[in-house]
């Protein structure tokens, strides 16, 4: 998703050290998902704190719990924090987005200019995952297979703003020469698929970033109220209509196809059994499922844990 700009909440607690046989209390986690489990050890699932990340983390935690593990969820601020924690084993598994993580590691390994000069991600998910595996492996990370569910960063304006200025695509916005402030995470200022990409690819005049988070109600409300003109959200945002917002088409394909996939600490969570449990979700989950799961949390105000459990039970992925 949106992966390119993950991270909208503050760190909710120190990431606990990870060691074999530790109890949840010793690891500093909370057993946040209902259901049985716990006989096969403990696993910490990372979440970046926005709706979809929370739902995916619950899906992972609950299916792993059903497979016999004690699970907890740690909410971390953004990829710059949780990826090193995954490498160190402070967390064991994170729901990720193939293209975004591939370019994140590309920049980390080969320098920030590599993303522009020698990008490894593309709209080809197979090639992107292969590149990701090559970058992740030496860092002690294991990339599990990607599924059909895909989430990408997307940009929305009010329906009124789009109509008044005849905007259908991001190219239209660039050609309009309108000045826009983006409601997004503060990292949007430096992420290549956010403000810098909008400027380079579309010629959009970005005057600043309003750090209200990625697709948060506060960010969308700011655009609805005219405080900001553009909001960074995702293609699976289920509440745009509630704010009178419409997506502008990414007609020049700034965003890569970001298929959802689990990434685990190879040493602590690299077993075939863990992979098999997570793969059940990967095979079942569709983009349409993500939209509906997000809608239930954002629009219906259901809890991510409850939404995840109902979905897993409906698909026969965990015991009722």
């Amino acid at each position: 998703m949106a992966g390119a700009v993950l991270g909208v909440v503050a760190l909710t607690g120190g990431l606990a050290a990870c060691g074999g046989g530790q109890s949840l209390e010793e690891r500093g986690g909370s057993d946040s998902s209902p259901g049985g489990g716990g006989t096969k050890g403990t696993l910490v699932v990372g979440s970046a704190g926005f709706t979809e990340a929370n739902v995916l983390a619950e899906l992972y935690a609950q299916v792993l719990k059903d497979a016999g593990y004690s699970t907890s969820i740690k909410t971390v601020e953004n990829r710059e924090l949780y990826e090193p924690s995954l490498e160190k084993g402070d967390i064991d598994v994170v729901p990720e987005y193939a293209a975004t993580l591939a370019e994140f590691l590309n920049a980390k390994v080969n320098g920030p200019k590599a993303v522009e000069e020698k990008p490894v991600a593309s709209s080809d998910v197979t090639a992107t995952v292969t590149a990701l595996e090559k970058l992740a492996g030496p860092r002690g990370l294991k990339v599990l297979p990607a599924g059909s569910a895909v989430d990408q960063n997307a940009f929305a304006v009010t329906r009124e703003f789009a109509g008044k200025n005849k905007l259908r695509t991001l190219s239209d916005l660039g050609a309009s020469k309108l000045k826009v402030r983006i409601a997004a995470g503060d990292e949007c200022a430096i992420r290549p698929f956010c403000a810098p990409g909008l400027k380079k690819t579309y010629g959009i005049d970005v005057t600043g970033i309003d750090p209200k988070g990625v697709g948060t109600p506060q960010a969308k409300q700011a655009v609805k109220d005219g405080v900001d003109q553009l909001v960074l959200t995702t293609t699976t945002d289920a509440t745009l209509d509630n704010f009178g917002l419409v997506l502008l088409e990414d007609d020049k394909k700034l965003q890569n196809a970001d298929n959802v996939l689990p990434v685990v600490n190879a040493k602590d969570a690299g077993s075939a059994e863990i992979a098999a449990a997570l793969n059940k979700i990967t095979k079942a989950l569709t983009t349409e499922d993500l939209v509906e799961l997000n809608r239930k949390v954002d629009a219906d105000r259901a809890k991510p844990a409850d939404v995840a459990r109902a979905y897993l039970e409906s698909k026969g992925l965990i015991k009722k």
Side-chain angles (χ1 to χ4, degrees):
M1 127 176 198
V5 285
L6 293 182
V8 295
V9 295
L11 194 64
T12 59
L15 290 172
C18 175
Q22 287 181 307
S23 69
L24 289 172
E25 290 75 14
E26 288 171 325
R27 295 187 66 169
S30 61
D31 198 358
S32 62
S33 301
T39 61
K40 297 178 181 177
T42 61
L43 293 171
V44 177
V45 180
S47 169
F50 60 96
T51 295
E52 188 168 289
N54 291 338
V55 172
L56 287 168
E58 285 288 352
L59 289 172
Y60 285 12
Q62 291 186 34
V63 81
L64 288 167
K65 194 166 196 177
D66 190 71
Y69 298 90
S70 289
T71 58
S72 63
I73 293 174
K74 284 289 188 183
T75 302
V76 296
E77 187 173 353
N78 54 38
R79 187 174 286 104
E80 285 80 359
L81 288 178
Y82 72 66
E83 189 278 332
S85 296
L86 186 62
E87 288 187 22
K88 291 186 293 183
D90 291 342
I91 55 179
D92 301 300
V93 55
V94 173
E96 262 292 359
Y97 303 87
T100 296
L101 183 60
E103 292 300 358
F104 175 85
L105 292 180
N106 186 24
K108 188 171 184 177
V109 173
N110 299 311
K113 292 184 178 180
V115 175
E116 292 185 6
E117 297 175 356
K118 292 184 178 180
V120 297
S122 69
S123 59
D124 184 333
V125 66
T126 301
T128 299
V129 171
T130 297
L132 173 57
E133 290 171 338
K134 291 179 180 178
L135 289 164
R139 310 194 74 83
L141 305 180
K142 182 178 180 180
V143 179
L144 301 184
S148 64
V150 60
D151 192 359
Q152 294 171 298
N153 291 328
F155 296 90
V157 296
T158 64
R159 190 173 286 105
E160 180 182 3
F161 187 80
K164 177 182 178 181
N165 296 290
K166 297 181 173 58
L167 305 178
R168 186 181 61 84
T169 68
L170 288 171
S171 286
D172 292 338
L173 181 57
S176 74
K177 303 303 180 184
L178 292 165
K179 296 181 183 297
V180 298
R181 190 165 76 146
I182 305 174
D186 55 7
E187 66 270 27
C188 177
I190 60 171
R191 292 282 174 85
F193 298 109
C194 201
L198 291 178
K199 293 176 183 178
K200 180 178 180 180
T201 302
Y202 290 106
I204 294 172
D205 189 354
V206 178
T207 61
I209 308 299
D210 187 1
K212 284 185 164 56
V214 181
T216 62
Q218 295 84 354
K220 284 176 276 196
Q221 187 67 43
V223 175
K224 179 182 179 181
D225 293 343
V227 175
D228 303 317
Q229 294 72 46
L230 196 65
V231 61
L232 171 62
T233 183
T234 72
T235 53
T236 58
D237 190 327
T239 65
L240 292 176
D241 283 346
N242 298 351
F243 294 88
L245 303 179
V246 293
L247 294 178
L248 295 181
E249 180 188 347
D250 179 21
D251 54 307
K252 291 184 179 179
K253 308 299 181 187
L254 171 63
Q255 309 299 332
N256 292 317
D258 260 322
N259 293 64
V260 177
L261 78 178
V263 180
V264 303
N265 178 283
K267 180 181 178 182
D268 296 336
S271 72
E273 188 173 6
I274 289 173
L278 294 171
N279 196 45
K280 293 195 297 182
I281 296 172
T282 300
K283 285 184 175 180
L285 195 65
T286 66
T287 303
E288 293 71 25
D289 289 342
L290 279 178
V291 173
E292 181 60 15
L293 292 169
N294 291 339
R295 187 195 66 76
K296 288 179 178 178
V297 175
D298 288 334
D300 296 349
R301 303 302 180 192
K303 294 180 179 179
D306 296 338
V307 170
R309 170 159 287 276
Y311 176 81
L312 293 171
E313 289 180 349
S314 72
K315 298 292 183 179
L317 300 181
I318 64 172
K319 296 180 291 290
K320 292 185 179 181

